[in-house]
Amino acid sequence: MTKDFFQQQVQRDLDLIAEQPQLAQTLAQLKQQVTRVFVTGAGGFLGKAICRFLRAENIAVVGFARGTYPDLTALGVEMKQGDIADSQALTKAMHGCDLVFHVASKAGVWGSKQDYFLPNVTGVENLIAACEQLGIDKLVYTSTPSVTFDGVDENGVDESYPYASNFLNYYGESKAIAEQKVLDANSPILKTVAIRPHLIWGPGDPHLVPRVIERAKAGRLKLVGKQDKLVDTIYVDNAAYAHLLAALQLCQEQPKCAGKCYFVSNDEPIAMAKMLNLILSAAHLPPVNKRVPAGVAYFVGAVLETVYRLLDKQQEPIMTKFVAKQLSTSHYFDISAIKRDLAYQPLVSIEQGMALLAQSLESE
């Protein structure tokens, strides 16, 4: 990420805060309640957005990441380098903080069980232990709707929907275990909440957007299944805002959200084909219309997974069973709970977000 691009992001944040009084009010109230905020995964897509919002209100932020991020340091974030699986380094970095956003995790659809369970499960255990040891009483955890996904349509499901009984990858399984640990840790001395954003995107997205563009340019992007299914997505600023609202609620004496999980989205379910083509349009690329039957995609994913494991290949296959199911099923959510308990409303619509995405892609 270039220095100019990061500065443009900071300016967009300031513009959004000026345009959205509810965001400005949330940040101002949070500043009155906390002294020093700890953000794991500060260098990631969502982590950076949370850091930028907090620093826009001049809230002291300690960022924890494995890499170095001069752009965050220039913004006034006190960066600490380390791994969340290293309990000693993590606890040392958290000294003096009174609110934690635990955003860091091993994401993706390919890798060994150890690859996912060490950062996602052990990392959460270390973080909870550090909070309890240091007397930090507020923890906002970034979860994922993948904790409930077992390969079937999810049409407007809410938080009463159970965890998956058959996980299709270690990411979803490890995040489900971690989420349960966070919610089980909720107590009068450590108030916790889990936020489940789905398909985060926007300017600077290192995951969904570049992958769609890269595959389209290579002629390898195809729609899966005969029928277009609805999915929820969330613009990155809306995801960050949901986390800020959760943190502010945890500052109350009896927070409504303590010990609970929440789905969050743009509240605009959209056909997967339309979402992909909006991204392609923002990049001035032609729409995708070629389709692969869902069963064929799943079979190819199963074969590739077997071959890659036999050959001990580290790179992700072009198709996996999880991806085939994700692209051929609906997954959109009833977000009434987060609207009710946290007064969440999306700040940026898909249309507005796509316009900002197009601007950012043109400036790259």
Side-chain angles (χ1 to χ4, degrees):
M1 183 181 295
T2 66
K3 183 178 179 182
D4 286 346
F5 182 75
F6 187 77
Q7 289 174 339
Q8 290 168 10
Q9 286 185 309
V10 171
Q11 186 57 54
R12 279 195 295 268
D13 294 339
L14 295 174
D15 291 343
L16 186 63
I17 292 168
E19 293 165 5
Q20 300 286 354
Q22 60 271 49
L23 173 58
Q25 184 179 31
T26 298
L27 286 167
Q29 291 176 343
L30 191 59
K31 185 179 182 180
Q32 295 174 357
Q33 298 289 335
V34 299
T35 57
R36 205 159 178 247
V37 180
F38 190 75
V39 182
T40 71
F45 187 38
L46 176 58
K48 274 192 176 181
I50 292 171
C51 287
R52 292 197 312 267
F53 276 144
L54 292 170
R55 290 303 299 146
E57 188 57 38
N58 205 30
I59 296 171
V61 178
V62 177
F64 192 73
R66 288 181 298 175
T68 57
Y69 297 90
D71 46 3
L72 287 175
T73 301
L75 200 60
V77 176
E78 182 185 347
M79 290 301 298
K80 304 282 189 179
Q81 198 168 355
D83 193 312
I84 54 175
D86 182 344
S87 61
Q88 194 170 4
L90 184 66
T91 304
K92 183 179 179 181
M94 290 169 65
H95 270 281
C97 296
D98 53 357
L99 163 65
V100 173
F101 290 101
H102 183 31
V103 188
S105 74
K106 163 71 173 172
V109 299
W110 185 249
S112 69
K113 186 172 183 177
Q114 176 79 352
D115 287 343
Y116 285 93
F117 274 62
L118 185 61
N120 294 355
V121 178
T122 304
V124 153
E125 291 171 345
N126 290 342
L127 196 84
I128 292 169
C131 284
E132 293 173 345
Q133 180 182 331
L134 298 171
I136 299 172
D137 63 351
K138 296 175 286 293
L139 169 58
V140 180
Y141 173 65
T142 307
S143 187
T144 168
S146 292
V147 301
T148 65
F149 183 67
D150 55 8
V152 299
D153 289 332
E154 294 179 323
N155 298 316
V157 302
D158 64 16
E159 292 78 8
S160 66
Y161 198 71
Y163 289 111
S165 57
N166 177 37
F167 289 101
L168 296 174
N169 62 18
Y170 292 127
Y171 172 65
E173 184 180 0
S174 64
K175 291 293 282 187
I177 294 169
E179 181 186 277
Q180 290 173 79
K181 287 181 179 293
V182 168
L183 300 183
D184 288 346
N186 182 67
S187 72
I189 60 170
L190 175 60
K191 293 171 284 187
T192 69
V193 61
I195 306 297
R196 298 171 173 176
H198 191 251
L199 281 180
I200 306 174
W201 61 276
D205 172 14
H207 304 297
L208 175 66
V209 169
R211 177 171 294 192
V212 170
I213 292 172
E214 179 187 338
R215 291 197 175 185
K217 286 180 175 178
R220 297 189 303 175
L221 185 65
K222 294 179 176 63
L223 304 173
V224 177
K226 295 180 181 179
Q227 183 183 355
D228 280 333
K229 298 294 183 82
L230 293 177
V231 299
D232 261 332
T233 72
I234 188 164
Y235 186 73
V236 62
D237 291 349
N238 295 332
Y241 177 49
H243 282 68
L244 296 171
L245 288 170
L248 183 59
Q249 179 63 221
L250 288 184
C251 294
Q252 310 306 311
E253 273 193 36
Q254 293 183 313
K256 297 175 184 176
C257 65
K260 297 180 182 178
C261 58
Y262 294 92
F263 288 115
V264 68
S265 70
N266 252 64
D267 208 19
E268 299 175 84
I270 184 172
M272 178 62 80
K274 184 176 180 181
M275 184 66 190
L276 293 175
N277 284 328
L278 284 173
I279 293 172
L280 294 176
S281 176
H284 301 294
L285 292 171
V288 59
N289 48 37
K290 293 181 180 178
R291 291 183 179 271
V292 174
V296 170
Y298 187 84
F299 175 76
V300 169
V303 170
L304 287 176
E305 285 187 29
T306 301
V307 171
Y308 272 52
R309 286 199 175 96
L310 285 173
L311 297 177
D312 197 25
K313 298 185 75 168
Q314 300 302 308
Q315 66 265 44
E316 179 187 321
I318 190 171
M319 181 59 67
T320 67
K321 292 184 290 185
F322 177 82
V323 171
K325 288 293 188 181
Q326 275 271 306
L327 293 176
S328 61
T329 56
S330 56
H331 24 105
Y332 62 95
F333 310 96
D334 179 349
I335 64 167
S336 300
I338 197 167
K339 289 180 175 179
R340 180 188 64 243
D341 291 353
L342 303 183
Y344 168 81
Q345 291 291 339
L347 303 175
V348 181
S349 68
I350 290 179
E351 182 181 3
Q352 292 168 327
M354 284 296 170
L356 292 169
L357 177 62
Q359 289 175 18
S360 73
L361 291 174
E362 287 170 3
S363 66
E364 286 183 358

